[in-house]
Amino acid sequence: MTVKKAKPVLYLDSREPVEARVKDLLGRMTLEEKFRQMGYADCAQFAEKGKFTTKLAKDFFKDLGVGGLQDPRMDPKPGTNLVNAIQKFLTKNTRLGIPALIISECLHGHLSKGATIFPQAIGLASSGNTNLIKQIAATAAREARAVGVSQGLSPDLDLARDPRWGRVEETYGE
C-alpha cells in the first residue's frame, strides 16, 4: 500500500508563481483577516519585562494576525528575540500563518539602540555625494535587517519648498 503525500497548500508553496499564491491566499481570507492585514501594532505590547508573552499575543491577535509591527526599539539581542517569538506565534497560531512586516523608522539610520545615526537627508543631499548617500542607506538597511526589520521608513522624495513644513529634514530637497 502506498501512502500519498499531501499536496502543499498553494499559497505556502514557494515553488509556485507569486500571482497564483496571492490569488489562493486572498481567496481563503475572510474580510476580517484582510482588514487585519492592513493593521499595525507595537511589538512592545506583546512583552512583559522585555520577554514575549503568549497570553498578550493571543488576546490581541486571536486567530487573525496583523499586517505590520513596529520594531521593539530594544537592545538588538532581546529585540530580535522578541521579533522572532512574535513571528513564530503568528506563523504557528493564526489560521493562515502569515508573518507580519516589521517596520521601523530609518530616516537617518535605523532608529534603534546601538544603531548608527547619520545626518538627515536634507544635509546629505547638500553634500552632492551620491555614493556616500548610497553607502549610508546600505548601512542603515543592514543594521535594520539584522534585527528583523523588513520595511524601513526612510527619506521621502517630496519637494520641500516651504521651510515651515515640519518634515523638510525628511526630504532630499529640490
Side-chain angles (χ1 to χ4, degrees):
M1 177 169 149
T2 53
V3 178
K4 284 190 176 182
K5 197 172 176 184
K7 186 177 178 188
V9 176
L10 181 65
Y11 79 90
L12 294 173
D13 189 347
S14 62
R15 297 169 298 185
E16 295 294 332
V18 171
E19 296 80 13
R21 294 174 67 198
V22 169
K23 184 177 180 180
D24 179 62
L25 177 59
L26 289 173
R28 293 170 186 269
M29 293 176 84
T30 66
L31 186 59
E32 191 174 13
E33 287 167 331
K34 290 174 183 175
F35 278 120
R36 261 310 177 97
Q37 285 302 308
M38 294 189 298
Y40 185 78
D42 190 334
C43 280
Q45 76 188 68
F46 308 108
E48 289 178 347
K49 297 180 183 175
K51 302 254 188 228
F52 176 74
T53 305
T54 303
K55 181 181 180 341
L56 295 173
K58 281 182 181 177
D59 289 347
F60 180 84
F61 295 123
K62 299 178 180 36
D63 192 30
L64 301 170
V66 71
L69 291 168
Q70 170 63 52
D71 79 320
R73 294 188 182 165
M74 301 166 67
D75 285 326
K77 186 170 183 172
T80 304
N81 290 341
L82 178 58
V83 166
N84 289 341
I86 295 169
Q87 294 287 43
K88 184 177 180 181
F89 179 89
L90 289 169
T91 58
K92 303 290 182 196
N93 298 289
T94 59
R95 188 176 80 86
L96 296 170
I98 303 170
L101 291 173
I102 306 301
I103 303 167
S104 183
E105 290 288 345
C106 296
L107 287 171
H108 50 94
H110 174 231
L111 183 59
S112 185
K113 291 183 180 182
T116 308
I117 300 300
F118 298 100
Q120 284 282 10
I122 197 82
L124 292 173
S126 69
S127 76
N129 189 338
T130 56
N131 285 331
L132 175 63
I133 294 168
K134 286 178 188 174
Q135 289 173 355
I136 288 171
T139 299
R142 274 193 307 276
E143 289 182 356
R145 192 67 196 126
V147 294
V149 173
S150 48
Q151 180 179 356
L153 305 177
S154 60
D156 55 52
L157 299 175
D158 291 336
L159 293 179
R161 294 184 172 161
D162 186 339
R164 297 172 295 177
W165 180 45
R167 303 197 111 171
V168 169
E169 79 279 0
E170 296 180 14
T171 76
Y172 287 108
E174 204 168 323

